[in-house]
Amino acid sequence: MTLDSIKLPAMAKEITKIIDFAVVDLPAIYNVIMGMPLINSMKAVSSTHHLGIKFPTPNGIAAEDGARWIKTLVNVEDHVFVPDIDPDEIGDQGNKFVEDYISRLTMLPLDRSRPLWDIHILNVKTSDAEAAGLIRSHHSLGDGMSRMSLILACTHKSSDPEALPTIPILKRRENVSHGLRNTGWFLSSMFAIYATVRLIWNTIVDLLLLLATVLFLKDTETSLKGGAEAESNAKRFSHRIVSLNDVSLIKDIMDMTINDVLLGVTQAALSRYLNVAHGILVNLRSEIGVQALLIHFQSYADKMVISIAVDPTIIPDSHKLCDAMEESLKSMKIALLGKGY
C-alpha cells in the first residue's frame, strides 16, 4: 500500500532528474526502486541481461551498470549446493566428473541478486581426495592471498575443530650472502650501487616494452592463441601435484629463483606438448600471447600444485599438457643429478 509520494533527485553520471517516488511500508533490501519514469526521462536504453543502462549526455553516451555494495542478509542454503551423485555410475572417473562439473560452472554466471559466491560439495572420490569442494567467488571479494586468507578463516582443523588453520612458514633466502656481509663497507657499498642501477635499468626496459606493446607490438600467431571468442568459451581445468623439493633442488643447483625454474618448466612443457601435437617448438618470449591457456602454480608445505585452465576447442587434451609439465620437471632434475650436482 502506498503511504505517500516524494520528489527526489536521481543522479547517473552527470545527468540529474527529479523523479516522483512512491513511499511504501514494506521490508526490502533496496533503498529505492527506479523504474520506467526515470528511464524514459533520461532517454535511456536498458539491458536486463547486463544489468545496466546507456543514455545520452552532453559529453556523449554514458553507461551505468548499477553495481553497488549494499548491506544484506546471507542465507547459507542459497549458496551451498550438494548435487545428488551416484558413485556407482561414476566409478573410477571421479577426476573427469569434477573437471566436467567445473567446466559447466564457468558458463554459469553468479546470481547478482545475492552475495557473489557459492560452494559446491561433490561426494566423488578422486585421485587426490575422498571428496571435492569447489568454491566460486567474484573477484571483487578479494584477489590472491586476500581471498585465500578469507577462505581459510572460514575453516577449522579436522584434528582440532576449535583451532583455526595455520599456514606453514618457510624461511626466506637472505638477499645478502654471509661472505659479502664480511667484505667491508666499500665492497658492500659498491654492491648496493650496482643493485640499485640494475633495478633502475630493468624498470626502464620494462616500461619501454610495455609502451611498445601498447603502441605497435602485436602477439605472434601460435596454435595456442585463441580468437575473440576465447574468453566466452567454456574452460576445462586440470591439475597435477609435483614435489616442491624437486623445484627447490633445481633452484639451488642453478642458483636462480623458483619463478625462474617454473618458467623453464613451462617453456619446456609447451615445447614438448606442441612438438608432439603440432610438430613445432615454442619460445616464451614476451611478445607471444597465449589467450587459450592459463597456468597457475600454488605451493603448500612440500607440494607444488600446477593448475591449468584451457579452451578445449584449442587444447583438447589438457592432461597431456599436465604430463608434459611433470615430465619436464623430472627431466631437469635427472639432467642435473646426472652431471654430479
Side-chain angles (χ1 to χ4, degrees), residues 223-239:
S223 56
L224 292 183
K225 182 179 177 182
E229 72 284 354
E231 290 191 9
S232 60
N233 291 342
K235 300 296 186 295
R236 174 166 289 277
F237 291 80
S238 301
H239 77 281

Side-chain angles (χ1 to χ4, degrees), residues 81-106 120-127 129-134 235-239 318-319:
F81 303 91
V82 185
D84 187 13
I85 302 172
D86 184 2
D88 296 332
E89 182 178 345
I90 297 174
D92 58 353
Q93 299 296 315
N95 288 349
K96 184 178 184 303
F97 178 88
V98 173
E99 291 175 3
D100 291 340
Y101 191 94
I102 297 175
S103 297
R104 289 193 296 270
L105 276 184
T106 63
H120 300 255
I121 300 176
L122 307 180
N123 292 313
V124 176
K125 184 176 181 179
T126 66
S127 58
E130 294 295 323
L134 310 176
K235 300 296 186 295
R236 174 166 289 277
F237 291 80
S238 301
H239 77 281
S318 58
H319 290 287

